[in-house]
Amino acid sequence: MVFIKEKRPVVSIILPVYNRAFTIRCCLESILAQYFKNFELIIVDDGSTDNTPCICKEIANKDSRVRFYSQSNRGVSAARNKGLNEATGEWITFVDSDDVILPKHLDIVEREGKNGVDLLMTDFTFGKICHGDIVPHKKIEKNVCTLKSEMPAQYLFKELDPFRNPVFLVWNKFFRNELLSQYHIRFDESMSLGEDQVFVCAYLSYAHKLIHYITPTYICLDWKGIHHLGTYLRTPEDYLYNQKKNYNALYSIIPIDKESIACYSASYGIDRPITRILYNYTKLKNVKRMRRSELVLFTHQEIIPFLTSIDITSGYKLKCNVRLVYYLLLHFGASASVAWCMFYNVWVDLSLFLLSPLRKLKRIFLR
């Protein structure tokens, strides 16, 4: 079916893709099945080496709303930025190539896009594909419940509670293209982790009025054998670089709502170096990636100075095991902290090993 393009689409959907031949057709079909038809789909292939480009071109040739671009492998930030540079819609949203959207996902733009709002948001849930149908893990109510706020940042960091509901998601949000262009808001291509949160923070500095539909219309799919970029182990230097960028981005919007944002930014800044680096690199499966002496030196020279620079005057919220390491770092130094993390991981692995037979017995008797 060929659609005649209107002068300007209301929504630009940006879809970065890399080696997703197994999932991309399902993703594309869900986008093209939207009830609201006035959109353009911008696919940016980031140097795929499988059959992904062929599938995307096949779809693009059948629908004039779909535009396909290809570039050398430069990362998801560069792919999204390419999409932003090509987008002509009034609103911008993103979809990941291994997810799907329900047919009413764009309805929020049709209903609320003209109400002087700068940020539109839907909820999301997890699901799977069963016999070609999208099956959410939880029941989705038909009635739409709408929440509104004149201060988007305050809503996301206070009313929505970022400790329970992630702020960084870009694929459940709709951004006004005019604001993105006016303030040159783009993804930081030097980052390979957490770039989405930095992007959202930059946008919140200028956004006024938010409308949130709490009915899930974006579905994160479970695919066997699919690995996400965020699951790969990175170097401590890479982790800390991205964590500093995120902390600075969060800290920059504190004036909007000092109490809630300051608490979250401090918590984020303290938690990530401890969980992503110290606890991660002292796991038995990862200890060979970096010698203990190197980890102690990196902790002393890089992590501790960063943690001591974090403003904690508005408080912070940390899990017990993270709070303990934070205390050890500030009062006993790098060696004691790394030693505790190694002991903790050994204890966790041993506990899981000892409990494994009990779990098997439980599954047998509860069948």
Side-chain angles (χ1 to χ4, degrees):
M1 183 180 295
V2 177
F3 289 85
I4 299 175
K5 293 179 67 175
E6 299 185 25
K7 289 184 178 180
R8 185 186 183 187
V10 175
V11 185
S12 293
I13 303 172
I14 297 174
L15 174 63
V17 59
Y18 175 73
N19 286 352
R20 284 292 187 260
F22 183 64
T23 67
I24 189 61
R25 189 178 295 277
C26 184
C27 175
L28 292 172
E29 288 175 354
S30 77
I31 294 173
L32 298 179
Q34 292 298 295
Y35 297 145
F36 182 67
K37 304 297 183 184
N38 190 10
F39 66 87
E40 65 177 357
L41 171 59
I42 301 172
I43 307 171
V44 183
D45 180 76
D46 192 42
S48 293
T49 56
D50 63 2
N51 198 42
T52 298
C54 294
I55 298 172
C56 294
K57 290 176 184 177
E58 174 194 332
I59 300 295
N61 290 335
K62 295 178 180 178
D63 196 318
S64 61
R65 297 173 299 174
V66 183
R67 286 188 280 149
F68 176 79
Y69 298 91
S70 183
Q71 63 184 30
S72 58
N73 183 242
R74 294 166 50 202
V76 67
S77 292
R80 284 173 173 162
N81 283 343
K82 172 64 177 176
L84 285 169
N85 294 337
E86 299 294 338
T88 61
E90 298 175 36
W91 291 91
I92 304 288
T93 193
F94 302 89
V95 175
D96 282 355
S97 56
D98 47 11
D99 294 335
V100 293
I101 53 178
L102 296 181
K104 58 184 178 180
H105 184 63
L106 301 185
D107 288 4
I108 186 174
V109 180
E110 182 182 24
R111 295 176 182 175
E112 312 290 353
K114 299 296 183 181
N115 292 337
V117 64
D118 290 329
L119 184 60
L120 299 171
M121 209 169 91
T122 68
D123 261 12
F124 72 97
T125 188
F126 296 91
K128 61 182 179 180
I129 299 296
C130 185
H131 303 298
D133 296 324
I134 302 170
V135 182
H137 288 340
K138 70 176 184 179
K139 183 180 179 181
I140 297 177
E141 301 295 334
K142 293 183 178 181
N143 295 329
V144 176
C145 182
T146 305
L147 300 176
K148 300 181 181 180
S149 175
E150 298 295 330
M151 299 182 67
Q154 186 180 73
Y155 175 80
L156 292 175
F157 284 93
K158 190 173 184 179
E159 297 173 48
L160 200 60
D161 187 1
F163 295 100
R164 299 179 61 184
N165 300 290
V167 172
F168 62 85
L169 307 176
V170 295
W171 32 255
N172 72 330
K173 297 179 178 66
F174 296 82
F175 306 89
R176 191 176 288 281
N177 198 358
E178 183 180 2
L179 276 182
L180 294 174
S181 300
Q182 181 180 352
Y183 297 104
H184 309 290
I185 301 171
R186 292 294 186 267
F187 290 90
D188 188 336
E189 296 183 19
S190 71
M191 299 178 65
S192 58
L193 183 69
E195 73 289 333
D196 38 10
Q197 183 166 253
V198 172
F199 178 88
V200 171
C201 286
Y203 189 82
L204 289 175
S205 297
Y206 307 103
H208 301 284
K209 194 175 180 181
L210 169 148
I211 292 179
H212 179 194
Y213 280 9
I214 63 172
T215 301
T217 56
Y218 189 101
I219 312 295
C220 300
L221 291 180
D222 296 330
W223 297 96
K224 290 184 179 180
I226 295 293
H227 298 286
H228 296 278
L229 188 62
T231 62
Y232 292 102
L233 185 68
R234 303 159 186 271
T235 66
E237 292 82 3
D238 190 27
Y239 275 127
L240 193 59
Y241 175 80
N242 289 287
Q243 289 152 11
K244 287 180 177 179
K245 285 273 189 175
N246 272 272
Y247 172 72
N248 290 334
L250 289 163
Y251 193 81
S252 70
I253 58 173
I254 283 177
I256 299 175
D257 184 357
K258 180 174 173 55
E259 182 182 353
S260 57
I261 300 177
C263 179
Y264 180 75
S265 64
S267 304
Y268 181 95
I270 296 169
D271 177 271
R272 291 306 188 275
I274 293 173
T275 56
R276 296 286 178 87
I277 302 174
L278 291 179
Y279 275 123
N280 221 354
Y281 268 84
T282 53
K283 290 180 179 178
L284 292 179
K285 64 179 181 179
N286 295 331
V287 291
K288 293 183 179 179
R289 301 289 188 96
M290 189 179 197
R291 288 183 296 180
R292 179 178 174 179
S293 58
E294 293 175 330
L295 181 58
V296 169
L297 183 63
F298 181 81
T299 302
H300 175 71
Q301 293 182 342
E302 301 292 340
I303 295 179
I304 292 177
F306 172 58
L307 293 180
T308 55
S309 72
I310 292 174
D311 182 2
I312 60 172
T313 54
S314 295
Y316 54 87
K317 296 180 181 179
L318 301 174
K319 294 180 180 178
C320 292
N321 60 332
V322 178
R323 185 181 292 268
L324 175 59
V325 177
Y326 180 53
Y327 178 84
L328 291 174
L329 285 167
L330 297 186
H331 295 89
F332 295 94
S335 295
S337 305
V338 171
W340 161 257
C341 290
M342 294 185 72
F343 169 78
Y344 177 86
N345 279 312
V346 170
W347 178 75
V348 169
D349 287 343
L350 181 60
S351 300
L352 292 174
F353 175 76
L354 293 175
L355 290 173
S356 180
L358 295 177
R359 290 197 184 95
K360 290 181 180 178
L361 289 172
K362 183 179 179 180
R363 285 196 295 268
I364 292 172
F365 288 109
L366 292 179
R367 281 180 180 176

